[in-house]
Every structure is written in structure tokens, then in C-alpha cells.
């Protein structure tokens, strides 16, 4: 077993055996719980990914929506980036990185990269994902799909269209990152999800298991993106959110209820199943939200 694997094994052991009585850890958990509960409300309708923030000293960067954004409570998140901090200290290795031109960020690159798999842990392909929401660090190792907390508070209106400018290229070979014998698609595709849902009393989030199926969903849109041709060509796509439950949709009321909007961009559309192609890459330049008129009750 090489040094990288040993280091990871030791790290996972430390995560599993950490003392619950550590006062610093207790305080950090308390702050994390508060951040997860409150989220990040923004009235911004356009994201251009030209400002990035370092989430902690020497760590990866994420897109920032304002100059004073809290690095520990960002609007955009990436569980794939946070998980990869266990494996690499090189920012350019991360699944989500800035798209730079002339030394300045001009967009986002979301890519599927080579990972590793040993003793039933990990995956040989890590699908990049950038989404509005949070990461539950406490379950990132043990329950990776549940650690992706999708959605940020949304109150400007009922989101109707998500318009984005993108490039996509697919990696050469689709694999199952854990070597399982399953039917694989002949070519990788990117995916984009937009899900508008009601915040219920428990204030829980949609996650990697419930993003498309949760009963609280009011409206949603989903698309799988083929490679853009010729390679390097920018295209614009308008993703429409359609009502899932018409009664719930008609009953949207921002004066008495709260809602979240989850925007999820992935370089491999079956990444949650550990299926994808190393080298698949989704590039984003701009994301714009268009709302319906806010209802008044």
C-alpha cells in the first residue's frame, strides 16, 4: 500500500475515533449546525464565476457571490472537492476549479478525475459537482450521498428558467469506479438539475438520494448534456422548471412558507452511482435565473 493510501487510512481512523468531548470540536459542530440551518440567502439572479474564495488556508476554492462572503458558509459548494482534500494538496487536481483566462477567473471547470479504490472504499472516478448548498462533513466519509445538502434559501419568486452558457467534452472511457459489472453507457454526459422545494419543519435538505424524488419538491428541471461540437464551442441552454405537484405549486406562499432552490452541475451524469469517464469536463461561464411573478396571498 502506498503512502497516499496509508495517509488516507490514518485520516479516516482519526475521523472515526475523534473524541466527542473535545471542546473545540463541540464548538465547531455547533457552528456547522447553525450554518446548515440558516443557509445563504441571495437576491442575485446571475452568477458569472469571476470571483472565487479560498475555503480555508491552502485549501480549494469555490465561486463567491460577494466580496464579504463567509468562506465557511458559501452559497456554492462541492462535496467532491471537499472529499478530495483527503487525497491531494494541489489545487489544480480538484474536480471543481476556476476557468482562468489571462490569469483571472472567467468561469468554472467541473471535471471527472481519477480517484482510487481499495478495501471497498473510494472510487476510481470522482465526478465533479458544483451545487448551491452545503456539505455535511460529518457524513462525508460514511454516507457520501447524504453529505450533499442541496439548496439555498430562495424568496425572490418561483424560479421558472435557469439559463446557462457552457462547454462539455466527454472522457474517453466510461467505467464503474468500484469495478462492478453493470451495463455502462457508451459515452459520458454532463447533467444539470434545478429543484425548487419547500422547507418543512425539520428544515432538512434534499441530498444525493432524494434530489429528484422528495415529496417536498414544488418544481424541477433536469437535462443531460452531450459534448458540444466543435470542441471548445460555447452554447447556451435554457432549463425550464416544471411543476411536480400542481397543488403545492399553486399554493406557493412566500409570506407563510420558506423555500430552497438547488442548482446542481455535474461532469458525469451518473456520478452518484460511481459511473463516469475520467477527463469529462463541463465548463460554465454564466448562470442566470428567471422567476415567475411572486404570488401574493
Amino acid at each position: 500500500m502506498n503512502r497516499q493510501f496509508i495517509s488516507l487510512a490514518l485520516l479516516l481512523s482519526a475521523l472515526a475515533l475523534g473524541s466527542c468531548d473535545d471542546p473545540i470540536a463541540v464548538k465547531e459542530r455547533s457552528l456547522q449546525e447553525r450554518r446548515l440551518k440558516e443557509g445563504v440567502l441571495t437576491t442575485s439572479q446571475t452568477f458569472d464565476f469571476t470571483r472565487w474564495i479560498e475555503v480555508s488556508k491552502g485549501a480549494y476554492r469555490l465561486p463567491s457571490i460577494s466580496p464579504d462572503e463567509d468562506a465557511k458558509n458559501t452559497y456554492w459548494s462541492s462535496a467532491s472537492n471537499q472529499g478530495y482534500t483527503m487525497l491531494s494538496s494541489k489545487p489544480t487536481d480538484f474536480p471543481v476549479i476556476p476557468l482562468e483566462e489571462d490569469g483571472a477567473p472567467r468561469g468554472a471547470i467541473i471535471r471527472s478525475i481519477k480517484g482510487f479504490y481499495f478495501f471497498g472504499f473510494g472510487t476510481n472516478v470522482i465526478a465533479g459537482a458544483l451545487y448551491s448548498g452545503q456539505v455535511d462533513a460529518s457524513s462525508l466519509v460514511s454516507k457520501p450521498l447524504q453529505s450533499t445538502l442541496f439548496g439555498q434559501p430562495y424568496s425572490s419568486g418561483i424560479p421558472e428558467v435557469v439559463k446557462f452558457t457552457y462547454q462539455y467534452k466527454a472522457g474517453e472511457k466510461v467505467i464503474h469506479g468500484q469495478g462492478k459489472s453493470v451495463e455502462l453507457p457508451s459515452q459520458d454526459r454532463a447533467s444539470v438539475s434545478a429543484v425548487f422545494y419547500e422547507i418543512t419543519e425539520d428544515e432538512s435538505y434534499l441530498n444525493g438520494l432524494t434530489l429528484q424524488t422528495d415529496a417536498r419538491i414544488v418544481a424541477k428541471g433536469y437535462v443531460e448534456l452531450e459534448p458540444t461540437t466543435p470542441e471548445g464551442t460555447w452554447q447556451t441552454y435554457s432549463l425550464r422548471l416544471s411543476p411536480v405537484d400542481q397543488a403545492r405549486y399553486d399554493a406557493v406562499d412566500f409570506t407563510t412558507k420558506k423555500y430552497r432552490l438547488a442548482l446542481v452541475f455535474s461532469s458525469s451524469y451518473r456520478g452518484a452511482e460511481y459511473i463516469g469517464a475520467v477527463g469529462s469536463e463541463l465548463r460554465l461561464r454564466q448562470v442566470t435565473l428567471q422567476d415567475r411573478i411572486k404570488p401574493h396571498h
Side-chain angles (χ1 to χ4, degrees):
M1 184 182 298
N2 67 29
R3 184 179 300 173
Q4 184 182 62
F5 289 0
I6 293 173
S7 298
L8 178 62
L10 292 174
L11 175 58
L12 296 179
S13 298
L15 289 173
L17 299 175
S19 171
C20 295
D21 297 326
D22 182 348
I24 296 178
V26 170
K27 182 177 181 180
E28 178 59 31
R29 281 198 301 273
S30 176
L31 291 173
Q32 173 74 355
E33 289 170 0
R34 180 178 176 183
R35 289 193 291 267
L36 296 182
K37 181 178 180 181
E38 295 178 354
V40 180
L41 177 63
T42 177
T43 58
S44 173
Q45 299 294 299
T46 299
F47 307 95
D48 60 12
F49 308 111
T50 58
R51 181 188 295 110
W52 289 67
I53 187 171
E54 193 173 48
V55 297
S56 62
K57 187 173 178 59
Y60 59 87
R61 291 187 287 169
L62 288 172
S64 174
I65 63 172
S66 67
D68 58 351
E69 188 168 15
D70 181 357
K72 291 188 176 182
N73 193 28
T74 54
Y75 182 86
W76 293 103
S77 193
S78 175
S80 51
N81 266 21
Q82 187 156 336
Y84 199 65
T85 58
M86 301 175 185
L87 308 178
S88 174
S89 61
K90 298 179 180 178
T92 54
D93 286 342
F94 289 108
V96 177
I97 60 174
L99 169 62
E100 295 192 350
E101 295 177 0
D102 300 323
R106 293 289 183 266
I109 299 176
I110 304 161
R111 56 191 185 171
S112 298
I113 64 173
K114 181 174 175 56
F116 72 94
Y117 180 66
F118 75 106
F119 296 130
F121 176 83
T123 171
N124 284 318
V125 58
I126 300 174
L130 178 67
Y131 58 88
S132 60
Q134 309 273 347
V135 178
D136 181 1
S138 66
S139 62
L140 184 59
V141 174
S142 59
K143 300 177 180 180
L145 293 182
Q146 289 94 319
S147 73
T148 51
L149 307 182
F150 295 126
Q152 293 286 9
Y154 200 80
S155 61
S156 65
I158 302 176
E160 190 169 42
V161 174
V162 179
K163 187 177 180 180
F164 57 92
T165 302
Y166 76 100
Q167 294 177 2
Y168 183 66
K169 67 176 182 179
E172 291 185 5
K173 182 180 180 180
V174 178
I175 64 171
H176 191 291
Q178 295 182 338
K180 294 182 180 179
S181 179
V182 297
E183 186 175 352
L184 299 173
S186 59
Q187 187 180 61
D188 207 358
R189 297 192 290 272
S191 66
V192 180
S193 295
V195 182
F196 179 62
Y197 68 98
E198 184 178 332
I199 302 175
T200 47
E201 288 186 4
D202 65 0
E203 298 188 334
S204 61
Y205 287 74
L206 303 190
N207 59 43
L209 296 177
T210 62
L211 179 63
Q212 302 294 339
T213 59
D214 197 281
R216 294 169 293 169
I217 296 175
V218 177
K220 68 178 182 178
Y222 175 79
V223 65
E224 293 169 5
L225 302 173
E226 302 282 351
T228 48
T229 55
E231 187 173 319
T233 301
W234 290 98
Q235 295 185 9
T236 299
Y237 189 91
S238 293
L239 176 63
R240 183 169 295 275
L241 284 77
S242 300
V244 171
D245 183 322
Q246 191 64 49
R248 189 184 289 272
Y249 189 82
D250 293 339
V252 168
D253 183 355
F254 292 97
T255 62
T256 61
K257 300 176 182 178
K258 296 180 180 180
Y259 301 87
R260 294 192 187 108
L261 175 63
L263 302 173
V264 186
F265 298 88
S266 178
S267 52
S268 292
Y269 75 113
R270 294 181 66 181
E273 304 170 68
Y274 306 110
I275 293 173
V278 174
S280 292
E281 186 173 288
L282 174 63
R283 296 184 169 206
L284 291 178
R285 271 204 187 281
Q286 190 176 74
V287 175
T288 301
L289 307 178
Q290 299 175 4
D291 296 339
R292 288 189 58 203
I293 298 173
K294 185 188 298 186
H296 297 280
H297 295 277

